[in-house]
Amino acid sequence: MTFSTAFAFNDVGQEQAEAVSSLQARGVVSGIDAEHFAPKEKVSYGQSVQMIVKALNLNLDTIRFVKQPLATDYYTHVANDAWYADAFIIAHYNGLEIPKDANPHAAITREQFGDLLIRALEKKGNFPMIKMYININDNDQINPLYQGEMQRLLLFKITALDSGGNFNPKQELTRGEAATWVYNASQIVDKFAQKPPAAVEQVAVTVEKVTDDVNKVTLTREEKPNAGYGIAITGIRFGQDGQAVVTYTLTNPDPDSMNAAVITKAAASAYIASNYKAVAEPDASASGSN
């Protein structure tokens, strides 16, 4: 993040600059003009839903509709041609439980925004969180339906209590605060995003008769582009079910090594009694296994 990007808006303080500039770069938020973000202005319900849905990439990708859903199917005051209409539809199908009569032009309170944000965040996965109770001095002012969500909002460090230990749940949220909360939530998603499991390389098992009592078992890797790839048998477990589990490790060439550029199939062999059926299994205890 460059200095010019962080302070593209001249009315954004340093404590909110990173959040605002990051969300602006992603197209999640925009200013009221080229130089002003108006961070102290109240954020509307419609702006809030749009911001949360877009920042956390909620979508309808896995849903198939018989007919196109319309905002008016679910909300009394959300016009179908409103710029935030799609966000309300996406929020509905992602279980954010927005009231049917929600006014998209009205200001949103801290507890309302926090509830929507936590519900949206938890749709993205199960994220690690220290389980403890945070004492909120004005907890009696929080809607009982939101109290659990406000605890999680604080435990995830999406926001914090004020200097007096209060959450101020009924206070209307500002644009700068909303951007900061949403940015912090998106950072959690980015940090703990589940990566797809690495593909497991297939190892072929072939059995060759040596004698009536002994078989030669060979494990062979897939074709590789050079001779730097290897396979080693690390052990054999003989089970009562008649299986001989041949464990192995795979080694790959060092990026700086020089190897002959020739198609190879690395192989390793062992001998077992012919009354056992050989199966291959990666050696989970070996650091070099794939």
Side-chain angles (χ1 to χ4, degrees):
M1 180 180 64
T2 64
F3 182 90
S4 60
T5 300
F7 295 93
F9 299 118
N10 59 28
D11 59 348
V12 176
Q14 186 173 0
E15 71 281 358
Q16 296 177 344
E18 182 176 355
V20 172
S21 64
S22 175
L23 295 180
Q24 181 195 25
R26 293 170 52 196
V28 176
V29 301
S30 59
I32 59 173
D33 58 42
E35 297 181 350
H36 301 92
F37 181 70
K40 295 183 180 180
E41 294 294 323
K42 307 304 181 186
V43 65
S44 72
Y45 208 111
Q47 291 170 335
S48 299
V49 174
Q50 173 79 1
M51 190 184 304
I52 291 171
V53 165
K54 201 164 187 178
L56 298 186
N57 193 30
L58 300 183
N59 55 65
L60 304 177
D61 291 352
T62 61
I63 303 175
R64 296 294 176 265
F65 297 95
V66 175
K67 74 176 189 70
Q68 180 181 356
L70 300 174
T72 51
D73 293 338
Y74 317 106
Y75 305 106
T76 306
H77 303 299
V78 180
N80 293 325
D81 59 353
W83 59 268
Y84 44 76
D86 286 347
F88 271 80
I89 294 171
I90 293 170
H92 171 80
Y93 279 99
N94 278 272
L96 299 199
E97 299 183 11
I98 297 172
K100 182 178 178 66
D101 61 352
N103 181 356
H105 304 293
I108 193 169
T109 66
R110 291 167 61 86
E111 65 177 2
Q112 289 174 325
F113 189 95
D115 174 65
L116 289 177
L117 183 56
I118 281 295
R119 289 181 183 274
L121 174 63
E122 292 175 346
K123 291 295 179 181
K124 302 298 292 186
N126 295 317
F127 303 105
M129 178 184 67
I130 298 174
K131 293 184 178 181
M132 59 178 287
Y133 179 79
I134 295 178
N135 183 55
I136 303 173
N137 286 343
D138 58 351
N139 190 64
D140 61 332
Q141 300 300 312
I142 299 176
N143 184 327
L145 296 176
Y146 299 153
Q147 288 179 347
E149 283 74 13
M150 298 310 100
Q151 283 286 325
R152 299 199 296 281
L153 195 75
L154 295 169
L155 289 170
F156 278 126
K157 297 184 179 180
I158 291 173
T159 187
L161 301 175
D162 66 15
S163 58
N166 297 308
F167 185 78
N168 304 302
K170 308 302 182 188
Q171 183 175 306
E172 294 173 345
L173 197 70
T174 67
R175 284 166 53 88
E177 289 171 330
T180 302
W181 290 19
V182 166
Y183 173 73
N184 290 341
S186 67
Q187 289 291 94
I188 294 172
V189 175
D190 292 343
K191 181 178 180 180
F192 296 104
Q194 294 183 351
K195 297 180 180 179
V200 177
E201 181 178 339
Q202 297 299 311
V203 171
V205 179
T206 56
V207 178
E208 178 185 352
K209 179 180 177 180
V210 178
T211 69
D212 289 341
D213 299 321
V214 178
N215 286 335
K216 179 182 179 181
V217 177
T218 302
L219 307 187
T220 307
R221 294 187 70 167
E222 299 171 345
E223 285 189 351
K224 298 298 178 183
N226 62 58
Y229 294 84
I231 183 171
I233 292 174
T234 58
I236 303 174
R237 298 196 312 271
F238 295 97
Q240 294 182 352
D241 57 357
Q243 282 194 338
V245 180
V246 183
T247 57
Y248 64 88
T249 59
L250 304 179
T251 55
N252 297 329
D254 187 288
D256 297 325
S257 64
M258 299 292 291
N259 295 285
V262 57
I263 300 298
T264 59
K265 285 187 175 183
S269 299
Y271 295 87
I272 65 173
S274 59
N275 59 329
Y276 281 93
K277 178 183 178 181
V279 295
E281 179 182 287
D283 188 343
S285 66
S287 59
S289 63
N290 286 2

